Amino acid sequence: MSIKVSCDSCGKELKVRDEAAGKRVKCPDCGSVVQIPEPDDVLDAETADDNPFAGDDVSSEGAESNRQPCPACGEMIVKTAAKCRYCDEIFDPALKKKAKGRRSSGASNDGDEMSTGDWVVAIVCSGIGCIAGIVWMIQGKPKGTKMFLVSFGMQIFWGLVRLAIELSNNPQQFQ
């Protein structure tokens, strides 16, 4: 099934797929932006005339009235949404509890455990690892603290190794 919409600027009738509902598309003729209505805003095909928006004022106000900004990211989402499709923030208490239980039961998430690559960066490139750890801590990922501490410890370790090498090569320099 497709959604039929008329361009406000040039009047051309556009047919778009259902997946485009709620999004904005460019008119191929004039290039102006056309708001595609949500499926519940679209009139039934049998009862609609050729241009369902001709006499009706089904503008963006009707589509915007059932939307609200997401508290986490600010994107416009449906008021009855259980989860934000942009930032994956969960609003439904039952779903939130279920997701929290899944996380604590051992299902690995991107921000939970350090991967092999993370360990290599923390040990070999400890300066970059410290920066990555700080960024992850700011983002709230649990592995950020571990990355920072391991990288910082390796910075100290590599500094001591360097000092020992310099002392063994030139002992008079530090006397």
Side-chain angles (χ1 to χ4, degrees):
M1 191 172 140
S2 62
I3 300 173
K4 292 182 182 180
V5 181
S6 293
C7 176
D8 294 333
S9 299
C10 67
K12 178 174 175 73
E13 188 174 274
L14 307 173
K15 278 187 179 180
V16 294
R17 287 185 260 146
D18 289 339
E19 295 85 40
K23 297 181 181 175
R24 295 179 180 171
V25 296
K26 275 191 176 181
C27 175
D29 280 2
C30 66
S32 66
V33 178
V34 178
Q35 176 72 36
I36 307 300
E38 289 289 330
D40 35 340
D41 294 338
V42 177
L43 298 174
D44 193 26
E46 291 101 44
T47 60
D49 58 350
D50 289 338
N51 186 353
F53 304 106
D56 248 41
D57 186 23
V58 183
S59 63
S60 62
E61 291 174 17
E64 293 297 320
S65 66
N66 67 344
R67 295 185 166 275
Q68 68 180 8
C70 170
C73 68
E75 289 288 340
M76 295 301 287
I77 59 171
V78 179
K79 286 182 180 178
T80 58
K83 181 179 178 182
C84 178
R85 67 179 184 175
Y86 299 101
C87 67
D88 293 332
E89 180 70 22
I90 300 173
F91 309 116
D92 184 38
L95 284 176
K96 191 176 257 189
K97 186 176 181 182
K98 187 177 179 182
K100 196 173 195 179
R102 222 179 309 135
R103 228 180 299 142
S104 63
S105 68
S108 181
N109 192 358
D110 183 37
D112 289 347
E113 292 296 323
M114 288 178 49
S115 67
T116 305
D118 296 336
W119 282 103
V120 170
V121 169
I123 294 169
V124 178
C125 308
S126 53
I128 294 171
C130 282
I131 294 169
I134 291 169
V135 169
W136 287 337
M137 283 192 293
I138 291 170
Q139 292 175 349
K141 294 183 180 178
K143 70 179 179 181
T145 306
K146 186 185 293 185
M147 179 72 150
F148 176 75
L149 292 175
V150 170
S151 297
F152 189 73
M154 291 310 296
Q155 277 282 42
I156 294 171
F157 172 76
W158 290 123
L160 292 173
V161 167
R162 180 178 174 196
L163 181 66
I165 291 171
E166 288 181 12
L167 273 173
S168 66
N169 286 341
N170 191 1
Q172 293 89 9
Q173 181 181 0
F174 295 101
Q175 288 182 359

